[in-house]
Amino acid sequence: MTMAYIPGLAGVPATESAISYIDGQAGVLSYRGYSIAELAQFSSFEETALLLLTGELPSADELARFTEKLNENRRVKYNIRSLMKCLPATTHPMHMLQTVMASMASFYPSTAYMAGDENDDTYIREVSENILAHMGTLVAMWEHLRNGYDPINPRIDLSYAGNMLYMLKGKEPDPVWERLLDACLILHAEHTINASTFTALVTGSTLANPCSVVSSAIGSLSGPLHGAANEKVITMLEEIGDAKNARAYIENRLANKQVIWGMGHREYKTKDPRAAILQQLIQEHLLDKGGKLSKLFEIALAVEEVCKDLLAHKGVYPNVDFYSGILYREMGFDPASYTPIFAISRSAGWLAHWHEQLKKNKIYRPTQIYIGEGERRYTPISQR
Amino acid sequence: MTMAYIPGLAGVPATESAISYIDGQAGVLSYRGYSIAELAQFSSFEETALLLLTGELPSADELARFTEKLNENRRVKYNIRSLMKCLPATTHPMHMLQTVMASMASFYPSTAYMAGDENDDTYIREVSENILAHMGTLVAMWEHLRNGYDPINPRIDLSYAGNMLYMLKGKEPDPVWERLLDACLILHAEHTINASTFTALVTGSTLANPCSVVSSAIGSLSGPLHGAANEKVITMLEEIGDAKNARAYIENRLANKQVIWGMGHREYKTKDPRAAILQQLIQEHLLDKGGKLSKLFEIALAVEEVCKDLLAHKGVYPNVDFYSGILYREMGFDPASYTPIFAISRSAGWLAHWHEQLKKNKIYRPTQIYIGEGERRYTPISQR
């Protein structure tokens, strides 16, 4: 019997997973049972990544060891830097990331992998540390390389978020921004099965090299329907220009059936919990301490007010992209880097899913409903 | 209501498609309604690729135009060659291909794509021609580059298959091998929904750049469960060493429950039609004309005889990989290039599916069955 075809496989279970859980009605997202509200408040990206990878909060020793490995693996081989320099200066950092990650399968050949021991735990741990460590370094390096400058070398004494800010600006990271970037990395690290994570599962199920797997997932996340919304939020807020224009602008977009970027999420019927947490952290760590955000944040708050009026009754509330783009901008990242920062963080989730897939692997091979031509005979070209 | 979870989504329709059709009982594979037996006999890879992309056999003018574009697009930019030179000499050509294809999204930026006109027909045609043309050139170039030699420049006066052989050896291609390589490219060009084509669909559904889409699919095909069987057939035949050892070797592997490489295919209950066609073409174009194949081919025929005895009653027959590896070896390709040749050919199918997906796009976002921890509270690290 043929099963029904469901476009986009919406609602079709593609895996059994113990990694994350979404309660869309209650507006809750948890990693390995821990709500992201608690993780964003108490944990670090390093600890959260390790939680995602292993399933448990680490002991102090385990975390120290993992952090040390992440820090050590920040170094980028000079041949990888040379490869990056061959790319056009206009290369989008997502395309750079997909390219370099694919090449890392060769720069870091694994004997365990080549011997078919892809379930070897030491191998899985080491390759995950290396991929995770490189993601942040590569994005920060590219900001310099694409402008013709030597990259700033990574430091091993800084947190993951702190080192990213250091490599971007070349100076000690501001602790407030470090804290907020760390929170953003925690909040984006995992989100059940979406197109990029699904790409990682399908690619991983062929037992492809994990660098190839993450490269494929980056390709998927690079699509404008998936990863690019936080970049578009900024464009929209800049177009609005001033908080007092917010209502007219939004009403006009709604009347023209245009998307309000950063509003609504298919999984949540309430405010995206990640957006609420981010807003609260901004308040607590920045605004309450006399820190300021640019005019764009005021515009964003005005847009949120207007949307509460016009869209909340439809269950449409701000999502995480609504605030993260503003923060990345304030930290000095180029808009093209917003999706790559998402990718850096999400690589923790991709690797956790890759690892989970390996443990119970079956290659993905769905079927199709054939709607094409029936059998027909080849005609010589002279008769066409 | 929750749907049942089916590992690997086996039998779950993931798309409606008019591109290819498999009748596993009858042992028939058709592209756009045309059986591959007729295509392998009468068509060329260029014509077959265009058939897959457009849905119809081209007129003489259309084919001439397409062929001209494929030939022109064989040139590889020197910055792409420089990028290839940064890769370690040990880089598997599949990793090289995934890397370079990802970079091509930047080397060939498309204004239509960037403006969101991803359904623009001219854009789809041009980018498909460029990707398809580059695949063959890149693989042939890498054989020289990885050994430290300058690549042999492509020629625009040769067929797709002929140019690949020319770029590999630097001399006029032998018409028999050109014909047989052309047939191999036709036979591997498309095969409904498998892991790599599915990866292309999922990545494409985010509206990612087609170079990113093909790069992701290459990552998927690089996995040993998917693309690498033809390489393993050769290793197996070499281990057997002589036709007279075939029975003992196969019986021994079966007794130890080891895989007989190149035997069996989940889609076919009879001999893989592609294997049958390839065997017939070898007979007709090579053996009947006094041509010779190496001892490996004799061993392969002996293995096939033994397997007919031992496995045919289970519906296990030779698949296409059983013969293609032997041919590629005779043509002078390194075993590591066998899967890349598969990728070159299959890029036609990937691009046809990408194109089809765009026309009715819905992003892939299946769901999961959560089997993890229930809600639990974060504990400070000192208490763990």
Side-chain angles (χ1 to χ4, degrees), chain A residues 174-177 179-180 275-302 304 323 326-327 330:
Chain A
D174 178 318
V176 171
W177 290 121
R179 177 72 182 82
L180 290 173
I277 293 163
L278 216 45
Q279 201 183 7
Q280 189 198 314
L281 288 170
I282 293 170
Q283 188 67 43
E284 186 181 323
H285 290 275
L286 188 75
L287 306 178
D288 288 355
K289 293 178 177 164
K292 274 204 189 317
L293 278 168
S294 68
K295 200 174 170 184
L296 230 49
F297 190 62
E298 283 171 39
I299 302 173
L301 293 177
E304 188 178 357
Y323 294 106
I326 298 171
L327 281 180
E330 298 282 320

Side-chain angles (χ1 to χ4, degrees), chain A residues 254-289:
Chain A
L254 289 174
N256 290 309
K257 297 189 191 303
Q258 288 175 294
V259 174
I260 314 294
W261 295 105
M263 288 285 149
H265 193 290
R266 56 198 290 175
E267 294 289 334
Y268 300 108
K269 298 297 160 223
T270 165
K271 190 167 176 173
D272 180 340
R274 301 169 296 176
I277 293 163
L278 216 45
Q279 201 183 7
Q280 189 198 314
L281 288 170
I282 293 170
Q283 188 67 43
E284 186 181 323
H285 290 275
L286 188 75
L287 306 178
D288 288 355
K289 293 178 177 164

Side-chain angles (χ1 to χ4, degrees), chain B residues 10 19 70 72 112-113 161 222 243 278 360:
Chain B
I19 300 172
L70 282 190
E72 284 172 4
Y113 175 75
S222 73
L278 216 46
K360 47 146 198 200

Side-chain angles (χ1 to χ4, degrees), chain A residues 38 47 193 365 377-378, chain B residues 38 47 58 193 365 377-378:
Chain A
E38 293 207 336
E47 183 181 75
I193 311 304
R365 202 198 188 290
R377 300 300 303 268
Y378 185 90
Chain B
E38 293 209 336
E47 183 181 75
I193 311 302
R365 202 198 188 292
R377 299 301 302 268
Y378 184 89

Side-chain angles (χ1 to χ4, degrees), chain A residues 48-105:
Chain A
T48 298
L50 194 51
L51 167 68
L52 286 168
L53 291 170
T54 66
E56 298 298 333
L57 284 173
S59 70
D61 279 357
E62 287 165 345
L63 181 58
R65 198 207 143 279
F66 181 68
T67 302
E68 195 184 326
K69 290 292 172 191
L70 282 190
N71 299 1
E72 284 171 2
N73 280 307
R74 279 177 191 155
R75 295 174 76 195
V76 172
K77 295 191 183 197
Y78 57 74
N79 273 337
I80 295 181
R81 290 203 303 278
S82 298
L83 185 149
M84 291 167 80
K85 289 178 189 172
C86 297
L87 294 169
T90 49
T91 297
H92 192 285
M94 286 301 280
H95 295 153
M96 176 282 295
L97 265 185
Q98 188 181 17
T99 302
V100 174
M101 192 48 62
S103 80
M104 283 180 59

